[in-house]
Amino acid sequence: MRDVVQGAIDAFSWFVLAYFLVLNTLYLVLVLTAAGDVFRHIRRRPFAGDEDMFASPLTPPVSVVMPAHDEEPVIVEAVHAMLALRYPEFEVVVIDDGSTDRTFAVMAEAFDLVEVPKVVPDLVPVEGELLSVHLSRQGHPLTVVRKTSTGSKADANNAGINASRYPLVCMVDADAVLDEDALLTVVKPFVDDPLRVVATGGSVRAVNDSTVHRGRIGDVRMPKRWLARIQVVEYLRSFLLGRSGWSRLQGLLIISGAFGVFRRDLLVAVGGYDAHAIGEDADLVARMHRHLRHEGRDYRIEFVSEPVCWTEVPETRAVLGRQRRRWSRGLAEVLWGQRRMMGNPRYGRIGTVVLPYYLLFELIGPFLELAGVITVALGFSFGLLDVEFALLFLAVALGYGFLLSVVSLAIEELGYRRYPRARDMAIATLGALVENVGFRQVHAWWRIQGTWQFLRGAEHSWGTMTRTGFAAEAKEPEKV
């Protein structure tokens, strides 16, 4: 009996070891692919032509859509920051999605809003009732739409699509901070390839404990809490370099809901966001791929690593756990909803490579990772696995993952240098170690819980994220 058990443990352990080796090698391929793209972008940056774009009357105008629900403490500064973006022609459309605080009142006072009898067309479905439309008497290119809340950010986004006027629509969270030239840079692919580019996404980074002054990032700092520091490493590897790699391979599936630009006519053609989807951003991009492949169009959906959207990441296990369970459940919903694309050559790389990757390594992966770690630990404890195999497993499963994170940090340091202090990079390196030994296993458990919620059809609750707010930049003393 012992031989049977040992044989089963040996077989499963080697299987999980091979799985980790394939998974981390795929990550390495994505990171190195992204690195080449990042350094090419850095070399071309002095000749990018941003000033020409800013001065050109041919640069396409953009509608910046900001859904807001109970954002009274930050909404005025957020709108001021969006209005101060460097871009030749744009408008800001704020959707007050049934706020129960003074979100609308503080905007009305700050921007001298007046109600206008504007008819908002029904281009994409909106479940909430539109209550009123307001413009600024101060001359700002600002529209504020009030609607009843359905508890869905996607529904507010759809209201913004209907209320927008311009051919490009930029989705931005109301509590996010953009770099001053972020809009210019993220729209550039539309200018360079106007016939094929249909959507672009920008990089999202953690702003916790960095200083913000008048809606602009001042001093970029490493967060004080370890949970946020680990997410800095995560965002660099997965959200910056991972998505850059998929974009380079023409397989981008996710554009973050915090910062993305889309052709308005395509948003209308696919029916806007699905108000009932938990992962509404990935669901939208997947439906875009399907729609465009059905039409037989040559198109590009690109990730642009340079423009940065800064957002506050969770700093407690409870809030982070809710977020990651929601992400995992949203991914499961997207893969199930697009199951006809899975493995289908008709949908190109999305069907034959990207969706199978997300199924095998993002959805099923946490089950294998956690089961593998537990099996190897128990097998070693009871003498069923030798020391050499245990060390090999640790090297491939954890050491390889740590190496990937360190490589990502090195690319960040060489390419963008957002964290100029040596101390910050040392902390980030230690955070990469903590991420792989401890956090990764807890994260896998959260992802398993999210998938299980999808499988059993549990009622979904968005929950709330407790925000600590941005650190204010210290004021210089007045001269006398």
Side-chain angles (χ1 to χ4, degrees):
M1 183 64 181
R2 178 183 174 87
D3 292 341
V4 174
V5 173
Q6 183 165 0
I9 290 178
D10 283 343
F12 183 70
S13 298
W14 279 104
F15 170 75
V16 175
L17 180 68
Y19 168 84
F20 271 114
L21 183 62
V22 173
L23 171 64
N24 288 328
T25 300
L26 289 175
Y27 272 136
L28 182 61
V29 170
L30 286 174
V31 168
L32 294 179
T33 301
D37 197 47
V38 166
F39 292 130
R40 276 189 293 270
H41 175 74
I42 297 300
R43 288 197 302 269
R44 296 171 182 170
R45 187 163 52 188
F47 315 102
D50 288 349
E51 294 303 323
D52 293 338
M53 271 188 64
F54 183 71
S56 174
L58 300 179
T59 301
V62 179
S63 296
V64 179
V65 173
M66 298 173 57
H69 177 77
D70 290 350
E71 302 283 0
E72 178 186 350
V74 299
I75 190 62
V76 171
E77 183 176 6
V79 173
H80 273 304
M82 294 302 163
L83 291 172
L85 290 171
R86 291 187 69 246
Y87 199 81
E89 184 178 0
F90 69 101
E91 64 173 349
V92 177
V93 180
V94 179
I95 308 299
D96 178 16
D97 190 36
S99 295
T100 58
D101 61 3
R102 298 183 67 252
T103 294
F104 176 76
V106 295
M107 282 193 295
E109 180 180 352
F111 301 104
D112 195 10
L113 298 180
V114 57
E115 184 175 350
V116 295
K118 179 179 179 180
V119 177
V120 177
D122 296 323
L123 300 176
V124 296
V126 176
E127 296 182 359
E129 179 186 359
L130 299 188
L131 303 176
S132 57
V133 180
H134 304 258
L135 300 179
S136 172
R137 280 189 286 216
Q138 296 175 354
H140 298 296
L142 172 65
T143 300
V144 178
V145 178
R146 304 186 73 188
K147 66 179 287 289
T148 59
S149 177
T150 62
S152 169
K153 174 186 171 184
D155 196 56
N157 281 337
N158 284 344
I161 294 169
N162 288 341
S164 62
R165 297 186 293 129
Y166 292 139
L168 297 182
V169 178
C170 176
M171 301 297 181
V172 181
D173 284 349
D175 55 2
V177 178
L178 297 184
D179 285 347
E180 185 180 20
D181 290 330
L183 197 55
L184 273 174
T185 313
V186 80
V187 170
K188 194 172 188 304
F190 290 94
V191 177
D192 293 340
D193 194 355
L195 297 180
R196 293 195 302 163
V197 175
V198 297
T200 60
S203 177
V204 179
R205 294 183 183 240
V207 74
N208 303 50
D209 296 309
S210 295
T211 58
V212 179
H213 180 62
R214 294 183 179 179
R216 292 289 175 266
I217 291 292
D219 186 21
V220 178
R221 301 172 182 169
M222 189 62 60
K224 297 176 182 177
R225 294 177 179 266
W226 277 106
L227 202 57
R229 290 170 172 175
I230 291 170
Q231 291 173 81
V232 168
V233 179
E234 268 194 311
Y235 277 46
L236 283 175
R237 185 190 63 251
S238 301
F239 295 173
L240 173 59
L241 297 177
R243 291 180 185 176
S244 292
W246 280 120
S247 177
R248 184 71 178 174
L249 298 173
Q250 299 182 35
L252 188 62
L253 183 64
I254 300 175
I255 290 179
S256 174
F259 186 32
V261 180
F262 306 89
R263 281 183 49 168
R264 185 168 179 258
D265 60 343
L266 182 57
L267 288 173
V268 173
V270 300
Y273 287 86
D274 182 350
H276 301 284
I278 297 173
E280 74 280 353
D281 44 6
D283 173 78
L284 174 67
V285 177
R287 286 188 290 113
M288 284 183 168
H289 281 294
R290 185 178 63 188
H291 174 81
L292 293 166
R293 297 292 301 190
H294 280 175
E295 289 195 339
R297 290 173 56 181
D298 182 16
Y299 69 95
R300 296 186 67 88
I301 296 177
E302 295 194 5
F303 180 85
V304 187
S305 58
E306 176 66 13
V308 174
C309 170
W310 299 87
T311 188
E312 189 176 357
V313 300
E315 294 190 342
T316 66
R317 288 183 60 182
V319 176
L320 183 59
R322 284 199 301 269
Q323 181 195 69
R324 299 312 169 88
R325 285 190 288 268
R326 186 174 73 243
W327 287 2
S328 182
R329 179 172 178 171
L331 175 62
E333 287 189 354
V334 170
L335 294 176
W336 176 252
Q338 307 304 327
R339 59 191 180 279
R340 293 183 179 178
M341 295 171 62
M342 187 82 64
N344 192 334
R346 177 182 181 183
Y347 299 99
R349 296 178 185 176
I350 296 298
T352 59
V353 177
V354 179
L355 290 177
Y357 168 87
Y358 274 94
L359 174 65
L360 295 175
F361 296 107
E362 297 294 340
L363 191 66
I364 298 177
F367 292 88
L368 292 177
E369 288 188 36
L370 209 55
V373 170
I374 293 173
T375 300
V376 170
L378 291 177
F380 179 73
S381 299
F382 289 100
L384 299 176
L385 293 175
D386 55 32
V387 176
E388 289 77 10
F389 180 84
L391 292 175
L392 178 62
F393 185 88
L394 289 175
V396 173
L398 305 181
Y400 202 168
F402 174 68
L403 174 64
L404 282 171
S405 296
V406 171
V407 170
S408 301
L409 291 172
I411 295 171
E412 147 68 27
E413 174 70 9
L414 295 173
Y416 298 110
R417 201 171 173 78
R418 290 284 182 169
Y419 296 95
R421 299 177 182 85
R423 178 178 180 273
D424 286 342
M425 295 308 297
I427 291 173
T429 302
L430 187 56
L433 179 62
V434 176
E435 178 200 12
N436 283 277
V437 184
F439 175 81
R440 181 170 178 171
Q441 292 72 43
V442 175
H443 187 205
W445 174 241
W446 289 334
R447 293 161 68 188
I448 290 171
Q449 290 178 315
T451 303
W452 176 242
Q453 288 175 357
F454 164 75
L455 292 174
R456 65 188 180 92
E459 183 178 353
H460 173 66
S461 174
W462 283 91
T464 58
M465 174 174 166
T466 304
R467 299 185 182 275
T468 60
F470 304 144
E473 191 173 44
K475 295 182 179 180
E476 296 182 0
E478 295 183 359
K479 295 180 179 180
V480 294

